[in-house]
Amino acid sequence: MLHEKLDSIYDSVLRRNPGEIEFHQAVREVLESIGPVLGKHPEYAESKIIERICEPERQIIFRVPWEDDQGEVHINRGFRVEFNSALGPYKGGLRFHPSVYLGIVKFLGFEQIFKNGLTGLPIGGGKGGSDFDPKGRSQREIMRFCQSFMTELYRHIGEYTDVPAGDIGVGQREVGYLFGQYKRITNRYESAVITGKGLSYGGAQVRTEATGYGCAFFVDEMLKARGTSFDGKRVVVSGSGNVAVYTIEKVQQLGGTVIACSDSSGYVIDNKGIDLDLLKQIKQVEHLRMDAYAKRRGGEVSFVAGRSIWELPCEVAMPSATQNEITGKDAEALVRGGCVAVGEGANMPTTPEGIRIFQEAGVAFGPGKAANAGGVATSALEMQQNASRDSWTFEFSERRLQEIMQDIHGRCLKTADEYGMPGNYAAGANIDGFKRVADAMLSLGLI
Ligand code: NDP
């Protein structure tokens, strides 16, 4: 049930954005939390802040033609949704995955507004990507695709306008090709136009690790708030990409045992704890599928295809692959298996039913907006270093990241308390992020 004013806003979102189910889900999840805020702050409704937040400031859709190694021409579709710039330049990653369409980009851009607000840093919300599938493509094909993508995107971005970064299918290699093409077209070495760059050309220490490390720090705080820690806990991490690998690394450093991880072909179960060096070799160097890990590791490690990784009993679940991967059924299985904490490394990986089940069972549930905000926060630190022509050490950058995650954790709890929902991190994150953006929008007039 939504607050009465919010009901009609949600209906209008459904009407104005037909078929964009992920976007509808993301909007509903925020609207469900902010009812109590409207009671305390009638000025938000009077100025139609929520209706304005639900409508992107600008949406760009463009053609991306490119040629494969055999000379065949392909046409993909590129997107950039510049959602909200009340707090700073639009900021959010680019996703290259065949499932990408406007509804996915809008859900991610919408989430990003509140996540970026929650970091307390001066960044607005945006997101982009393409339905291009990088799997099985050669390095040169990927380079040509990135160059074609940027040949249109460059006119819409800039260090004071819109600053993209990576997401699924876009890592440091792709960011390098994108930045190179931007530099070539504009004849400007505008480092802060994109983040996630390599260290030799303006990248920041800890950016690669930031989302995963940050998520582990956030869960560590949730566990501490309950008087416990990662020590001796069995942890399941889905995915084996950027977020998953560095989540595993930090969880291991904090004393947890990661017993399983996955890719879209299946999961591996390794009760002694994932061998991170082997995982990095297989995923980051050789780009193989998950079964290769089980084969090389040998022993009792097995590869399981066609089943949900969330069937495995564990104390901590850290979904780090994609949206809606934890269904209501998965959440029930996790609760039955003794799960006490969930930290969302991915964006919106838990369905609304799954969230309800976790919250009713008293599981500490850290929503993506808060738990994975370390990535974008460190991107903002990269922009800060670029602007001052500086570069910080790994240790200093990691300390800043940990402080930011502790601050976000504290604010989620405090805000949830203030609004009568103690321990509800999702409500705390939504309300705190929303209020920061709403207050800025009120101050800036009718933007
Ligand atoms: P990567 O491309 O590096 O890795 C994605 C991983 O998830 C891969 O293991 C991939 O397996 C798996 N995966 C992707 N789609 C599916 C699917 N439909 N079903 C099953 N598995 C899938 O991406 P990231 O690690 O960067 O991103 C992961 C999540 O974290 C996303 O939700 C992203 O939005 C979110 N995120 C990322 C941030 C970042 O800094 N990179 C910041 C904040 C959030 P396979 O290779 O088989 O496809």
Side-chain angles (χ1 to χ4, degrees), residues 95 135 167-169 207 211 240-243 264 289 321 346-347:
R95 175 177 292 192
K135 270 203 199 87
D167 191 82
I168 291 179
R207 176 58 192 91
T211 308
S240 48
N242 171 272
V243 177
S264 56
R289 310 302 291 154
N347 285 309

Side-chain angles (χ1 to χ4, degrees), residues 361-372:
V363 172
F365 174 75
K369 274 188 210 85
N372 73 35

Side-chain angles (χ1 to χ4, degrees), residues 119 121 205-218 221 246 250 370-379 381 392-409:
T119 65
L121 296 164
Q205 296 281 0
V206 187
R207 176 58 192 91
T208 305
E209 298 84 355
T211 308
Y213 277 22
C215 192
F217 286 140
F218 191 89
E221 292 300 311
Y246 295 102
K250 188 50 71 181
N372 73 35
V376 75
T378 308
S379 275
L381 303 182
W392 305 344
T393 63
F394 191 94
E395 291 68 28
F396 178 72
S397 310
E398 189 181 2
R399 219 165 36 245
R400 285 285 290 124
L401 169 65
Q402 186 167 14
E403 284 162 8
I404 290 169
M405 297 316 294
Q406 287 169 337
D407 177 57
I408 293 175
H409 174 268

Side-chain angles (χ1 to χ4, degrees), residues 187-205:
N187 194 31
R188 283 166 65 86
Y189 206 103
E190 196 182 324
S191 303
V193 72
I194 190 163
T195 58
K197 299 180 292 294
L199 291 177
S200 59
Y201 56 93
Q205 296 281 0

Side-chain angles (χ1 to χ4, degrees), residues 140-158:
R140 300 198 75 77
E141 288 174 326
I142 288 183
M143 181 182 75
R144 284 197 293 275
F145 177 81
C146 289
Q147 289 175 337
S148 180
F149 186 85
M150 186 53 87
T151 300
E152 173 57 34
L153 187 69
Y154 89 93
R155 60 187 101 244
H156 308 289
I157 62 175

Side-chain angles (χ1 to χ4, degrees), residues 20-34:
E20 297 175 359
I21 48 175
E22 297 83 1
F23 178 51
H24 303 162
Q25 184 182 335
V27 170
R28 190 171 176 100
E29 201 262 326
V30 170
L31 297 190
E32 273 172 354
S33 302
I34 60 174

Side-chain angles (χ1 to χ4, degrees), residues 56-186:
E57 288 176 18
R58 194 176 296 112
Q59 309 181 52
I60 302 146
I61 303 181
F62 51 99
R63 178 173 67 198
V64 190
W66 59 281
E67 207 173 79
D68 68 19
D69 289 343
Q70 285 68 46
E72 190 184 334
V73 173
H74 298 258
I75 314 294
N76 283 97
R77 190 169 284 175
F79 301 90
R80 187 72 186 165
V81 173
E82 298 181 334
F83 228 117
N84 194 300
S85 61
L87 295 178
Y90 311 105
K91 182 91 198 79
L94 297 171
R95 175 177 292 192
F96 292 169
H97 192 272
S99 63
V100 168
Y101 78 108
L102 189 58
I104 294 260
V105 181
K106 277 164 73 175
F107 119 63
L108 290 164
F110 186 75
E111 291 264 302
Q112 198 82 48
I113 304 171
F114 307 99
K115 181 191 305 189
N116 294 3
L118 197 54
T119 65
L121 296 164
I123 39 180
K127 199 84 187 188
S130 173
D131 56 1
F132 171 69
D133 187 357
K135 270 203 199 87
R137 291 292 170 195
S138 72
Q139 181 135 328
R140 300 198 75 77
E141 288 174 326
I142 288 183
M143 181 182 75
R144 284 197 293 275
F145 177 81
C146 289
Q147 289 175 337
S148 180
F149 186 85
M150 186 53 87
T151 300
E152 173 57 34
L153 187 69
Y154 89 93
R155 60 187 101 244
H156 308 289
I157 62 175
E159 69 176 298
Y160 295 108
T161 315
D162 183 356
V163 184
D167 191 82
I168 291 179
V170 179
Q172 205 177 92
R173 175 181 62 175
E174 291 73 19
V175 166
Y177 294 145
L178 290 162
F179 179 56
Q181 183 73 352
Y182 181 86
K183 191 180 84 55
R184 188 172 184 200
I185 297 175
T186 60

